[in-house]
Amino acid sequence: MLLWVILAALTAIVLFFLLRPLAGGGGSEPAREAFNAAVYRDQLEEIDSDRARGLIGEAEAESARLEVARRLLATDAKRRKAKARTRAAGPARAALIAVALALPLAALGLYLFYGSPRLPDQPLAARLQDPASEQNIAVLVARVEARLRAHPEEGEGWDAIAPVYLSARRYADAAEAYAQSIRLLGATANRLSGYGQALVLEKGGLVTEEARTALERAVALDESLVEPRILIAIAKEQDGDYAAAIDGWRALLEKKGADEAWQAMVQKRIANAEAHLSGKAPAAAEGAPQGGMAGPSAADIAAAQNMSPADRQAMVETMVQKLATKLEQNSDDLAGWLRLVRAYTVLDRKDDARQRSPAPRPSLPATRTRRSNSTRWPQNLD
Amino acid sequence: MIAETGHYALILALGVAIVQMLVPLIGTHYRDPKLTAVAVPAAQAEFILIGIAFIALMTAYVTSDFSVANVWQNSHSAKPLLYKISGVWGNHEGSMVLWVLILALFGAAVATFGNNLPRQLQANVLAVQSSIAVAFLLFIIITSNPFMRLDPAPFDGEGLNPVLQDPALAFHPPFLYAGYVGFSMAFSFAVAALIDGRIDAAWARWVRPWTLAAWMCLTIGIAMGSWWAYYELGWGGFWFWDPVENASFMPWLAGTALLHSALVMEKRDALKVWTILLAIITFSLSLMGTFLVRSGVLTSVHAFAVDPARGVFILAIMGVFIGGAFALFAWRAPLLSQGGLFAPISREGSLVLNNLLLTVACAAVLVGTLYPLALEAITGEKISVGAPFFNLTFVPLIVPLLIAMPFGPLLAWKRGDLLAAAQRLMTAAIAALAVMILVLAVNQHGPWLAPLGIGLGIWLIMGAPTEIAYRVKLFDVSGSESWRRARNLPRATFGGALAHAGVGVMVIGLVSTTAWRSERIELLAPGESLDIAGYDLAFAGVAPRQGPNYSERVAKFVVTRGGEPVTELTPSKRAFAVEKSATTEAGIHNSWRGDLYVVLGDQLKDGAYSVRVYFNPMVRLIWIGALIMFFGGGLSLSDRRLRVGAPKRARSKMAAAAAVE
């Protein structure tokens, strides 16, 4: 409501100043020639004072005076010819009515088309203090980040935010957060595993030495973790050690029942490695590209918040199913694959997983819905 | 609510601009003073409304209101306050708002301080100015609206390009735009004169301050951009003939020519049609610069907008204004009265030479900028036209201009005496020659053209005091008399001389940096050292450091010179986590001899770093020269006195050179 009052006041003030000349009495304006003559008279005075100061000689001054005087005379002649210009109030009245009606209507119409009058301002400081936005994971993340900037030595904060970063695909941030939590709280299997995954995904699927060390330590601490073992096997593939990679994949399959969708990937991977061993290199490239897999939309998440636990479980299962189907078609999507593994882990151990993490997995809400333009442009220089 | 108020204010400004475009024009056509009088309050209201929109946008940036899409795309809560503010114009939408804000500011200034203008001319000027505003406001609201909202709002922004987080860049665009847009004033005056069908010496006087102000802003804007490129991009260079740089340089060249031709018009009522044409050309080049930068047709570091819809829109704006103005010019210019006569050797003649060389040089830059684009558009072949092209075309054109420059102010109006001027310049010539020989003696191994360049710079610098000495009749009359004359000299004379000297200072900087720069690229492990231009740099090592929104690796170099400690340089590489990009911060030590410039490269396997070290002799003179030019312009602007040609006798012997129209 206040917004409309402000907009109306703004319009009224602008109209008042704009229309005042149109509504006023019809005084005549000074003729143009008067302004020209003023300039030329100024120029004549200037010559005189230059002459008086001795800046120019008498002959020069005389010649300059003549020239300016000629301009002045020409102006005077024009001025005499020009008639007095006063007109009836007709056109002014018409213009007044037209502007007074059209301006507010056009502005309002255009604003209603482009504007969002119902959206309040949302400055960050206010949002962080607002308890109503408690539900919003995005705000939670921002709050943790703000706190970590102020207290970077709080390991719990890093520990909480690291998996969130990982699922938000902010891999560099995730690696940093895992590293900090390991430094401050000590290494656990989960942290090492997350750290390794973040490093690998940041490098686009390449398992670096550092990542491999972390992953191997994670497996040493907890044999049951799946993700690090997948990555270790991939590392072996990348080294060209296909036999060892196949051993790794097989071990994974033996440990778990073959009913989970991600295991189909493992089968493919084994076939792939065997092909390599027998010398027929398949087309599929390693160091799989990542991305391309959309998380749940904002609407999905919003819907999930109002569901019963059973429904929510069902929704997560459907989403996992969708993800698995997509991966069937694109088995090189390493990030998607790891997410699928993680999703099954959540389904298996949903209770403790939910307690430990501040985020409803598998992903952050996609808030980029109402973009002004669908294209991205690099913000560069000028 | 603040954001929405800003959005509405922007839309209302469009409405007011349309009123300002139409009503005064109808008024001048029917000679109705009430209608023409609308121009003044409309121009003021337009400025205030766009100001409200700009402040609203800035508020959204400062408070990190990520419900505004533009803020979310270009800001981040972790960014320092200064860059939150500069982020407003560090992106396409915001910079366009700044563009129209400055446009409206110039309009409001003409409305408020233009009491000395004939009402009709003022109304026409404001109407033309407003038509530009209408075009760009439409562009902003339809294709680049900064007030689009997001619901729900994201939790944090996507950051600003880290390369742009720099104090010089925070202020470079406002100045550059003030320059670009300021020339719109000269354009509006020119088009108003064409609509009016009349133009006289008084017109030149009215248009001059606006052109001068725009020229000053553009000068300092270009200098800041070059300064920023020098220390931020880490290439050790200061000017790359990049299309975006050229886009700002061309209006500068044309604007400089305009400034000088307006002088002739004001004093001698000559070169009128040419001045009008030049005003149109200058702003057309500004528009083209805006188009090149905003549409993303260039694949340079500067191109931001990759949205073709925008490019087409700006192209249309450009076509309408440039095409319209030239059509109007072709139609109306023959009706304008021709101006006075003068001899080839005269102040007017020298200014014509100035105009000729500046416009041809500008054309050379235009060809060098547009040819690669045209070629790519037609054949798909990508070529780059770099420094060699401009060295071959631009430099030979500008050198004669520089040589002739000190002569101009010493020639009288109407008919000058070249020999007398040459005699007066003898001191300057001797000084230049002496320095040339000295430089040659010190640097016996070439490059051979460099001493000539230095001599040219000295020649230009010495030309300025020569002019003043001539005007105050130094040594011809008593000292006190000279002092009295000096105090009575118009400030514009000092301003002009100062600006010309600034060009000389800049030439010295350009020549010495280009000719005697030393450069070394080495692999350096901590503990090793290298020497350059008499300095020894010991590489102490690299350490990590945490900045407000980046982490960096800082290298430390201990610099000594002949065993004496000089300074410590800390070039660094910054990594910006949010933007996922990196910048290079050069370590620069400046002294009167020049700049020692160190850039840290990548780390190699064995722990060594690639290190680039430059020594740029006297490079600062380039920007100091630009500053001097800026102050010269300011001094001239502060002169309210009039300038009337004071021609010498000899009206009879007028060696009839018709005005160059």
Side-chain angles (χ1 to χ4, degrees), chain B residues 599-627:
Chain B
V599 184
L600 181 67
D602 290 323
Q603 184 177 18
L604 296 152
K605 274 200 173 151
D606 51 357
Y609 286 80
S610 70
V611 175
R612 280 179 295 141
V613 185
Y614 303 93
F615 183 74
N616 297 318
M618 294 194 265
V619 67
R620 307 249 153 175
L621 291 186
I622 297 172
W623 301 293
I624 292 173
L627 261 184

PDB file of all heavy atoms in Angstrom, chain B residues 599-627:
ATOM      1  N   VAL B 599      55.530  -9.493 -12.299  1.00  0.00           N
ATOM      2  CA  VAL B 599      54.322 -10.304 -12.349  1.00  0.00           C
ATOM      3  C   VAL B 599      54.676 -11.740 -11.986  1.00  0.00           C
ATOM      4  O   VAL B 599      55.645 -12.298 -12.507  1.00  0.00           O
ATOM      5  CB  VAL B 599      53.704 -10.295 -13.759  1.00  0.00           C
ATOM      6  CG1 VAL B 599      52.397 -11.051 -13.767  1.00  0.00           C
ATOM      7  CG2 VAL B 599      53.502  -8.881 -14.238  1.00  0.00           C
ATOM      8  N   LEU B 600      53.903 -12.298 -11.080  1.00  0.00           N
ATOM      9  CA  LEU B 600      54.121 -13.684 -10.674  1.00  0.00           C
ATOM     10  C   LEU B 600      53.361 -14.600 -11.614  1.00  0.00           C
ATOM     11  O   LEU B 600      52.165 -14.429 -11.820  1.00  0.00           O
ATOM     12  CB  LEU B 600      53.624 -13.868  -9.237  1.00  0.00           C
ATOM     13  CG  LEU B 600      53.799 -15.245  -8.630  1.00  0.00           C
ATOM     14  CD1 LEU B 600      55.258 -15.565  -8.445  1.00  0.00           C
ATOM     15  CD2 LEU B 600      53.063 -15.338  -7.313  1.00  0.00           C
ATOM     16  N   GLY B 601      54.048 -15.565 -12.182  1.00  0.00           N
ATOM     17  CA  GLY B 601      53.399 -16.514 -13.085  1.00  0.00           C
ATOM     18  C   GLY B 601      53.047 -17.797 -12.362  1.00  0.00           C
ATOM     19  O   GLY B 601      52.890 -17.821 -11.145  1.00  0.00           O
ATOM     20  N   ASP B 602      52.951 -18.884 -13.110  1.00  0.00           N
ATOM     21  CA  ASP B 602      52.558 -20.158 -12.510  1.00  0.00           C
ATOM     22  C   ASP B 602      53.740 -20.867 -11.870  1.00  0.00           C
ATOM     23  O   ASP B 602      54.890 -20.649 -12.242  1.00  0.00           O
ATOM     24  CB  ASP B 602      51.960 -21.058 -13.595  1.00  0.00           C
ATOM     25  CG  ASP B 602      50.621 -20.522 -14.037  1.00  0.00           C
ATOM     26  OD1 ASP B 602      49.883 -20.014 -13.162  1.00  0.00           O
ATOM     27  OD2 ASP B 602      50.337 -20.585 -15.238  1.00  0.00           O
ATOM     28  N   GLN B 603      53.381 -21.740 -10.935  1.00  0.00           N
ATOM     29  CA  GLN B 603      54.417 -22.542 -10.318  1.00  0.00           C
ATOM     30  C   GLN B 603      54.687 -23.754 -11.181  1.00  0.00           C
ATOM     31  O   GLN B 603      53.764 -24.368 -11.708  1.00  0.00           O
ATOM     32  CB  GLN B 603      53.978 -22.991  -8.925  1.00  0.00           C
ATOM     33  CG  GLN B 603      55.067 -23.746  -8.214  1.00  0.00           C
ATOM     34  CD  GLN B 603      54.660 -24.123  -6.807  1.00  0.00           C
ATOM     35  OE1 GLN B 603      53.501 -24.118  -6.467  1.00  0.00           O
ATOM     36  NE2 GLN B 603      55.641 -24.450  -5.991  1.00  0.00           N
ATOM     37  N   LEU B 604      55.946 -24.094 -11.346  1.00  0.00           N
ATOM     38  CA  LEU B 604      56.272 -25.255 -12.137  1.00  0.00           C
ATOM     39  C   LEU B 604      56.651 -26.398 -11.205  1.00  0.00           C
ATOM     40  O   LEU B 604      56.719 -26.240  -9.993  1.00  0.00           O
ATOM     41  CB  LEU B 604      57.412 -24.918 -13.096  1.00  0.00           C
ATOM     42  CG  LEU B 604      56.919 -23.846 -14.052  1.00  0.00           C
ATOM     43  CD1 LEU B 604      58.035 -22.997 -14.540  1.00  0.00           C
ATOM     44  CD2 LEU B 604      56.164 -24.476 -15.197  1.00  0.00           C
ATOM     45  N   LYS B 605      56.895 -27.553 -11.804  1.00  0.00           N
ATOM     46  CA  LYS B 605      56.999 -28.765 -10.995  1.00  0.00           C
ATOM     47  C   LYS B 605      58.094 -28.710  -9.947  1.00  0.00           C
ATOM     48  O   LYS B 605      57.906 -29.111  -8.809  1.00  0.00           O
ATOM     49  CB  LYS B 605      57.223 -29.961 -11.908  1.00  0.00           C
ATOM     50  CG  LYS B 605      55.900 -30.508 -12.401  1.00  0.00           C
ATOM     51  CD  LYS B 605      56.035 -31.923 -12.882  1.00  0.00           C
ATOM     52  CE  LYS B 605      54.647 -32.492 -13.197  1.00  0.00           C
ATOM     53  NZ  LYS B 605      54.680 -33.499 -14.222  1.00  0.00           N
ATOM     54  N   ASP B 606      59.245 -28.172 -10.322  1.00  0.00           N
ATOM     55  CA  ASP B 606      60.368 -28.230  -9.390  1.00  0.00           C
ATOM     56  C   ASP B 606      60.353 -27.094  -8.380  1.00  0.00           C
ATOM     57  O   ASP B 606      61.374 -26.779  -7.778  1.00  0.00           O
ATOM     58  CB  ASP B 606      61.688 -28.207 -10.190  1.00  0.00           C
ATOM     59  CG  ASP B 606      61.695 -27.060 -11.163  1.00  0.00           C
ATOM     60  OD1 ASP B 606      60.660 -26.364 -11.233  1.00  0.00           O
ATOM     61  OD2 ASP B 606      62.699 -26.865 -11.851  1.00  0.00           O
ATOM     62  N   GLY B 607      59.188 -26.456  -8.194  1.00  0.00           N
ATOM     63  CA  GLY B 607      59.105 -25.408  -7.186  1.00  0.00           C
ATOM     64  C   GLY B 607      59.482 -24.042  -7.697  1.00  0.00           C
ATOM     65  O   GLY B 607      59.340 -23.060  -6.992  1.00  0.00           O
ATOM     66  N   ALA B 608      59.948 -23.968  -8.944  1.00  0.00           N
ATOM     67  CA  ALA B 608      60.289 -22.653  -9.494  1.00  0.00           C
ATOM     68  C   ALA B 608      59.024 -21.979 -10.024  1.00  0.00           C
ATOM     69  O   ALA B 608      58.047 -22.647 -10.352  1.00  0.00           O
ATOM     70  CB  ALA B 608      61.314 -22.810 -10.612  1.00  0.00           C
ATOM     71  N   TYR B 609      59.036 -20.670 -10.055  1.00  0.00           N
ATOM     72  CA  TYR B 609      57.920 -19.914 -10.599  1.00  0.00           C
ATOM     73  C   TYR B 609      58.370 -19.216 -11.880  1.00  0.00           C
ATOM     74  O   TYR B 609      59.527 -18.788 -11.979  1.00  0.00           O
ATOM     75  CB  TYR B 609      57.447 -18.847  -9.610  1.00  0.00           C
ATOM     76  CG  TYR B 609      56.688 -19.410  -8.447  1.00  0.00           C
ATOM     77  CD1 TYR B 609      57.361 -19.976  -7.368  1.00  0.00           C
ATOM     78  CD2 TYR B 609      55.308 -19.379  -8.427  1.00  0.00           C
ATOM     79  CE1 TYR B 609      56.657 -20.497  -6.292  1.00  0.00           C
ATOM     80  CE2 TYR B 609      54.599 -19.898  -7.360  1.00  0.00           C
ATOM     81  CZ  TYR B 609      55.275 -20.456  -6.300  1.00  0.00           C
ATOM     82  OH  TYR B 609      54.576 -20.975  -5.251  1.00  0.00           O
ATOM     83  N   SER B 610      57.445 -19.069 -12.811  1.00  0.00           N
ATOM     84  CA  SER B 610      57.784 -18.223 -13.943  1.00  0.00           C
ATOM     85  C   SER B 610      57.507 -16.787 -13.511  1.00  0.00           C
ATOM     86  O   SER B 610      56.466 -16.477 -12.947  1.00  0.00           O
ATOM     87  CB  SER B 610      56.953 -18.592 -15.168  1.00  0.00           C
ATOM     88  OG  SER B 610      55.614 -18.233 -14.972  1.00  0.00           O
ATOM     89  N   VAL B 611      58.485 -15.938 -13.731  1.00  0.00           N
ATOM     90  CA  VAL B 611      58.395 -14.568 -13.257  1.00  0.00           C
ATOM     91  C   VAL B 611      58.660 -13.649 -14.436  1.00  0.00           C
ATOM     92  O   VAL B 611      59.609 -13.854 -15.190  1.00  0.00           O
ATOM     93  CB  VAL B 611      59.439 -14.311 -12.147  1.00  0.00           C
ATOM     94  CG1 VAL B 611      59.424 -12.850 -11.747  1.00  0.00           C
ATOM     95  CG2 VAL B 611      59.170 -15.195 -10.954  1.00  0.00           C
ATOM     96  N   ARG B 612      57.783 -12.663 -14.611  1.00  0.00           N
ATOM     97  CA  ARG B 612      58.020 -11.680 -15.659  1.00  0.00           C
ATOM     98  C   ARG B 612      58.363 -10.351 -15.000  1.00  0.00           C
ATOM     99  O   ARG B 612      57.665  -9.904 -14.085  1.00  0.00           O
ATOM    100  CB  ARG B 612      56.777 -11.514 -16.532  1.00  0.00           C
ATOM    101  CG  ARG B 612      56.645 -12.610 -17.572  1.00  0.00           C
ATOM    102  CD  ARG B 612      55.399 -12.433 -18.394  1.00  0.00           C
ATOM    103  NE  ARG B 612      54.217 -12.585 -17.545  1.00  0.00           N
ATOM    104  CZ  ARG B 612      53.130 -11.850 -17.658  1.00  0.00           C
ATOM    105  NH1 ARG B 612      53.060 -10.909 -18.562  1.00  0.00           N
ATOM    106  NH2 ARG B 612      52.105 -12.041 -16.864  1.00  0.00           N
ATOM    107  N   VAL B 613      59.444  -9.751 -15.449  1.00  0.00           N
ATOM    108  CA  VAL B 613      59.886  -8.487 -14.875  1.00  0.00           C
ATOM    109  C   VAL B 613      60.048  -7.486 -16.001  1.00  0.00           C
ATOM    110  O   VAL B 613      60.624  -7.785 -17.038  1.00  0.00           O
ATOM    111  CB  VAL B 613      61.228  -8.657 -14.144  1.00  0.00           C
ATOM    112  CG1 VAL B 613      61.603  -7.369 -13.447  1.00  0.00           C
ATOM    113  CG2 VAL B 613      61.146  -9.785 -13.153  1.00  0.00           C
ATOM    114  N   TYR B 614      59.486  -6.286 -15.793  1.00  0.00           N
ATOM    115  CA  TYR B 614      59.640  -5.235 -16.788  1.00  0.00           C
ATOM    116  C   TYR B 614      60.237  -4.009 -16.120  1.00  0.00           C
ATOM    117  O   TYR B 614      59.999  -3.765 -14.938  1.00  0.00           O
ATOM    118  CB  TYR B 614      58.296  -4.793 -17.366  1.00  0.00           C
ATOM    119  CG  TYR B 614      57.483  -5.881 -17.982  1.00  0.00           C
ATOM    120  CD1 TYR B 614      56.532  -6.558 -17.233  1.00  0.00           C
ATOM    121  CD2 TYR B 614      57.648  -6.217 -19.316  1.00  0.00           C
ATOM    122  CE1 TYR B 614      55.766  -7.552 -17.801  1.00  0.00           C
ATOM    123  CE2 TYR B 614      56.876  -7.206 -19.893  1.00  0.00           C
ATOM    124  CZ  TYR B 614      55.940  -7.864 -19.132  1.00  0.00           C
ATOM    125  OH  TYR B 614      55.178  -8.842 -19.698  1.00  0.00           O
ATOM    126  N   PHE B 615      60.990  -3.259 -16.897  1.00  0.00           N
ATOM    127  CA  PHE B 615      61.318  -1.920 -16.449  1.00  0.00           C
ATOM    128  C   PHE B 615      60.797  -0.957 -17.508  1.00  0.00           C
ATOM    129  O   PHE B 615      61.213  -0.993 -18.663  1.00  0.00           O
ATOM    130  CB  PHE B 615      62.818  -1.743 -16.238  1.00  0.00           C
ATOM    131  CG  PHE B 615      63.148  -0.381 -15.712  1.00  0.00           C
ATOM    132  CD1 PHE B 615      62.872  -0.065 -14.395  1.00  0.00           C
ATOM    133  CD2 PHE B 615      63.688   0.590 -16.523  1.00  0.00           C
ATOM    134  CE1 PHE B 615      63.144   1.193 -13.896  1.00  0.00           C
ATOM    135  CE2 PHE B 615      63.962   1.852 -16.049  1.00  0.00           C
ATOM    136  CZ  PHE B 615      63.692   2.152 -14.728  1.00  0.00           C
ATOM    137  N   ASN B 616      59.840  -0.129 -17.117  1.00  0.00           N
ATOM    138  CA  ASN B 616      59.215   0.804 -18.051  1.00  0.00           C
ATOM    139  C   ASN B 616      59.706   2.211 -17.745  1.00  0.00           C
ATOM    140  O   ASN B 616      59.214   2.853 -16.822  1.00  0.00           O
ATOM    141  CB  ASN B 616      57.696   0.772 -17.912  1.00  0.00           C
ATOM    142  CG  ASN B 616      57.127  -0.575 -18.263  1.00  0.00           C
ATOM    143  OD1 ASN B 616      57.538  -1.194 -19.231  1.00  0.00           O
ATOM    144  ND2 ASN B 616      56.202  -1.048 -17.453  1.00  0.00           N
ATOM    145  N   PRO B 617      60.661   2.726 -18.517  1.00  0.00           N
ATOM    146  CA  PRO B 617      61.214   4.031 -18.176  1.00  0.00           C
ATOM    147  C   PRO B 617      60.180   5.144 -18.366  1.00  0.00           C
ATOM    148  O   PRO B 617      59.522   5.209 -19.387  1.00  0.00           O
ATOM    149  CB  PRO B 617      62.380   4.209 -19.162  1.00  0.00           C
ATOM    150  CG  PRO B 617      62.525   2.922 -19.867  1.00  0.00           C
ATOM    151  CD  PRO B 617      61.272   2.158 -19.709  1.00  0.00           C
ATOM    152  N   MET B 618      60.050   5.931 -17.361  1.00  0.00           N
ATOM    153  CA  MET B 618      59.226   7.154 -17.392  1.00  0.00           C
ATOM    154  C   MET B 618      57.792   6.916 -17.827  1.00  0.00           C
ATOM    155  O   MET B 618      57.141   7.803 -18.371  1.00  0.00           O
ATOM    156  CB  MET B 618      59.882   8.197 -18.304  1.00  0.00           C
ATOM    157  CG  MET B 618      61.199   8.668 -17.738  1.00  0.00           C
ATOM    158  SD  MET B 618      61.769  10.137 -18.533  1.00  0.00           S
ATOM    159  CE  MET B 618      62.845   9.472 -19.770  1.00  0.00           C
ATOM    160  N   VAL B 619      57.278   5.721 -17.527  1.00  0.00           N
ATOM    161  CA  VAL B 619      55.939   5.391 -18.011  1.00  0.00           C
ATOM    162  C   VAL B 619      54.883   6.284 -17.368  1.00  0.00           C
ATOM    163  O   VAL B 619      53.850   6.574 -17.953  1.00  0.00           O
ATOM    164  CB  VAL B 619      55.656   3.897 -17.774  1.00  0.00           C
ATOM    165  CG1 VAL B 619      55.569   3.606 -16.300  1.00  0.00           C
ATOM    166  CG2 VAL B 619      54.411   3.458 -18.497  1.00  0.00           C
ATOM    167  N   ARG B 620      55.148   6.731 -16.151  1.00  0.00           N
ATOM    168  CA  ARG B 620      54.132   7.547 -15.452  1.00  0.00           C
ATOM    169  C   ARG B 620      53.832   8.851 -16.174  1.00  0.00           C
ATOM    170  O   ARG B 620      52.793   9.455 -15.946  1.00  0.00           O
ATOM    171  CB  ARG B 620      54.599   7.883 -14.039  1.00  0.00           C
ATOM    172  CG  ARG B 620      54.990   6.694 -13.251  1.00  0.00           C
ATOM    173  CD  ARG B 620      54.053   6.413 -12.135  1.00  0.00           C
ATOM    174  NE  ARG B 620      54.127   4.995 -11.884  1.00  0.00           N
ATOM    175  CZ  ARG B 620      53.509   4.387 -10.898  1.00  0.00           C
ATOM    176  NH1 ARG B 620      52.789   5.067 -10.085  1.00  0.00           N
ATOM    177  NH2 ARG B 620      53.604   3.098 -10.749  1.00  0.00           N
ATOM    178  N   LEU B 621      54.804   9.308 -16.968  1.00  0.00           N
ATOM    179  CA  LEU B 621      54.584  10.582 -17.650  1.00  0.00           C
ATOM    180  C   LEU B 621      53.355  10.516 -18.557  1.00  0.00           C
ATOM    181  O   LEU B 621      52.721  11.528 -18.819  1.00  0.00           O
ATOM    182  CB  LEU B 621      55.826  10.967 -18.474  1.00  0.00           C
ATOM    183  CG  LEU B 621      57.056  11.352 -17.667  1.00  0.00           C
ATOM    184  CD1 LEU B 621      58.158  11.841 -18.586  1.00  0.00           C
ATOM    185  CD2 LEU B 621      56.716  12.432 -16.654  1.00  0.00           C
ATOM    186  N   ILE B 622      53.033   9.306 -19.016  1.00  0.00           N
ATOM    187  CA  ILE B 622      51.858   9.182 -19.871  1.00  0.00           C
ATOM    188  C   ILE B 622      50.620   9.678 -19.140  1.00  0.00           C
ATOM    189  O   ILE B 622      49.848  10.491 -19.646  1.00  0.00           O
ATOM    190  CB  ILE B 622      51.671   7.717 -20.302  1.00  0.00           C
ATOM    191  CG1 ILE B 622      52.864   7.255 -21.128  1.00  0.00           C
ATOM    192  CG2 ILE B 622      50.387   7.544 -21.080  1.00  0.00           C
ATOM    193  CD1 ILE B 622      52.860   5.776 -21.422  1.00  0.00           C
ATOM    194  N   TRP B 623      50.444   9.182 -17.923  1.00  0.00           N
ATOM    195  CA  TRP B 623      49.232   9.546 -17.194  1.00  0.00           C
ATOM    196  C   TRP B 623      49.345  10.926 -16.571  1.00  0.00           C
ATOM    197  O   TRP B 623      48.352  11.631 -16.441  1.00  0.00           O
ATOM    198  CB  TRP B 623      48.920   8.471 -16.156  1.00  0.00           C
ATOM    199  CG  TRP B 623      48.734   7.168 -16.843  1.00  0.00           C
ATOM    200  CD1 TRP B 623      47.716   6.843 -17.688  1.00  0.00           C
ATOM    201  CD2 TRP B 623      49.610   6.042 -16.821  1.00  0.00           C
ATOM    202  NE1 TRP B 623      47.902   5.583 -18.190  1.00  0.00           N
ATOM    203  CE2 TRP B 623      49.052   5.065 -17.670  1.00  0.00           C
ATOM    204  CE3 TRP B 623      50.791   5.746 -16.168  1.00  0.00           C
ATOM    205  CZ2 TRP B 623      49.632   3.833 -17.880  1.00  0.00           C
ATOM    206  CZ3 TRP B 623      51.374   4.524 -16.374  1.00  0.00           C
ATOM    207  CH2 TRP B 623      50.803   3.577 -17.225  1.00  0.00           C
ATOM    208  N   ILE B 624      50.569  11.298 -16.218  1.00  0.00           N
ATOM    209  CA  ILE B 624      50.748  12.657 -15.715  1.00  0.00           C
ATOM    210  C   ILE B 624      50.395  13.647 -16.831  1.00  0.00           C
ATOM    211  O   ILE B 624      49.723  14.651 -16.597  1.00  0.00           O
ATOM    212  CB  ILE B 624      52.189  12.861 -15.206  1.00  0.00           C
ATOM    213  CG1 ILE B 624      52.404  12.007 -13.960  1.00  0.00           C
ATOM    214  CG2 ILE B 624      52.457  14.327 -14.902  1.00  0.00           C
ATOM    215  CD1 ILE B 624      53.826  11.995 -13.448  1.00  0.00           C
ATOM    216  N   GLY B 625      50.827  13.317 -18.059  1.00  0.00           N
ATOM    217  CA  GLY B 625      50.485  14.158 -19.202  1.00  0.00           C
ATOM    218  C   GLY B 625      48.975  14.285 -19.363  1.00  0.00           C
ATOM    219  O   GLY B 625      48.451  15.389 -19.584  1.00  0.00           O
ATOM    220  N   ALA B 626      48.272  13.153 -19.232  1.00  0.00           N
ATOM    221  CA  ALA B 626      46.817  13.198 -19.363  1.00  0.00           C
ATOM    222  C   ALA B 626      46.203  14.066 -18.274  1.00  0.00           C
ATOM    223  O   ALA B 626      45.268  14.838 -18.518  1.00  0.00           O
ATOM    224  CB  ALA B 626      46.247  11.789 -19.308  1.00  0.00           C
ATOM    225  N   LEU B 627      46.749  13.967 -17.066  1.00  0.00           N
ATOM    226  CA  LEU B 627      46.251  14.785 -15.959  1.00  0.00           C
ATOM    227  C   LEU B 627      46.459  16.272 -16.259  1.00  0.00           C
ATOM    228  O   LEU B 627      45.584  17.101 -15.993  1.00  0.00           O
ATOM    229  CB  LEU B 627      47.000  14.435 -14.674  1.00  0.00           C
ATOM    230  CG  LEU B 627      46.315  13.491 -13.711  1.00  0.00           C
ATOM    231  CD1 LEU B 627      47.154  13.331 -12.464  1.00  0.00           C
ATOM    232  CD2 LEU B 627      44.937  14.024 -13.353  1.00  0.00           C
TER     233      LEU B 627
END
